[in-house]
Amino acid sequence: MRLMFLCLLCCVMPIKALADDLVVFAAASLKGPLDAIAADFGDVVVSYGGSGTLARQVSQGAPADVVLLANAAWMDVLVADEWVATAVPFVGNALVIVGQPDADEVALTPDGLTTALGGGRIAMGFTNSVPAGIYGKVALEALGLWETVAPRVVEVDNVRAALNLVARGEVPIGVVYQSDALIVPELEIVARFPRDSHPEIAYFAGVTAQATHPKAAKFIAFLGTEAAQKALSDAGFCTDRQRC
């Protein structure tokens, strides 16, 4: 039954799993270091997406053994509805604005953002479901900037999509995580949001109610090992090795 469900899921998700693979649903911003961590652990298949989308899929019975989300609120929903028994934080991140190569630093003021935008728009994850978009809107509101940028926001379904819009030159700036900004070295981090302008950015891991793999809990424990934390730190995430 599990294998049949996985085959059906392949029609809508980029996942190819064997019956004995550990299936992990993970926030899109984790791709890169998590691929390396999964390879080190062995026999893991990871499907990436927006945290809100993944949470909904888990709550609909999708056959994930482990879920890794970039937002406490979405994980709280899964715990409250008993789709996840216990959630544990395993890494953090910082929120930044990225711009084009050689772009000037952007002042987090109405005039500063207006100048940076020029005639363009600002890319963000969906502000009602994608964690980076949620954090970004909260931060912009806290700084009194949301009304300035709201009419010019392009909302997309995950933070990597926002990054790609900037990388392709379709928008001049975008709100992304620090770790995402490092993926495209040609882009510049032009502004960093103050840590007190938004809730702490933490990623949470949990074993799902429908998990069948015997190593699901071991994989979550593996995320806390020195090797895994180094991989995350090297990719720009916030750990004990690298504070944000």
Side-chain angles (χ1 to χ4, degrees):
M1 180 67 177
R2 172 183 170 85
L3 186 56
M4 181 177 70
F5 201 164
L6 283 169
C7 291
L8 291 173
L9 198 61
C10 285
C11 296
V12 294
M13 299 183 66
I15 177 173
K16 293 182 180 179
L18 299 176
D20 57 351
D21 282 333
L22 175 72
V23 179
V24 176
F25 283 8
S29 53
L30 288 166
K31 185 169 176 58
L34 188 60
D35 284 344
I37 292 168
D40 286 345
F41 189 82
D43 297 324
V44 177
V45 172
V46 185
S47 181
Y48 295 98
S51 290
T53 299
L54 296 177
R56 284 190 291 271
Q57 289 171 345
V58 169
S59 69
Q60 292 166 1
D65 297 299
V66 172
V67 61
L68 310 177
L69 302 182
N71 181 267
W74 281 116
M75 189 64 87
D76 287 346
V77 170
L78 293 181
V79 172
D81 292 342
E82 299 184 348
W83 290 104
V84 169
T86 304
V88 295
F90 66 95
V91 78
N93 219 324
L95 197 66
V96 303
I97 295 178
V98 290
Q100 300 302 320
D102 302 320
D104 293 331
E105 184 174 339
V106 174
L108 292 176
T109 64
D111 287 346
L113 281 178
T114 299
T115 299
L117 285 168
R121 305 180 75 181
I122 181 171
M124 299 175 62
F126 286 126
T127 56
N128 64 348
S129 61
V130 175
I134 295 170
Y135 291 127
K137 182 179 179 181
V138 169
L140 289 165
E141 287 177 333
L143 297 171
L145 300 173
W146 179 247
E147 290 187 3
T148 299
V149 301
R152 302 173 71 177
V153 170
V154 178
E155 297 192 24
V156 291
D157 61 3
N158 63 68
V159 67
R160 291 293 173 86
L163 179 72
N164 288 337
L165 286 178
V166 183
R168 293 196 300 264
E170 296 181 32
V171 297
I173 57 175
V175 177
V176 301
Y177 293 128
Q178 172 178 273
S179 58
D180 294 300
L182 300 182
I183 294 171
V184 185
E186 295 80 11
L187 298 182
E188 299 282 348
I189 294 178
V190 295
R192 295 179 179 273
F193 287 96
R195 291 184 63 183
D196 61 0
S197 66
H198 56 79
E200 180 182 6
I201 299 172
Y203 291 70
F204 292 83
V207 176
T208 69
Q210 56 267 42
T212 60
H213 201 287
K215 292 185 178 180
K218 289 183 179 180
F219 180 77
I220 291 178
F222 189 73
L223 294 173
T225 63
E226 183 176 354
Q229 289 290 296
K230 182 179 186 303
L232 291 162
S233 175
D234 289 348
F237 288 84
C238 309
T239 67
D240 288 341
R241 297 171 56 90
Q242 175 172 295
R243 299 291 185 178
C244 290

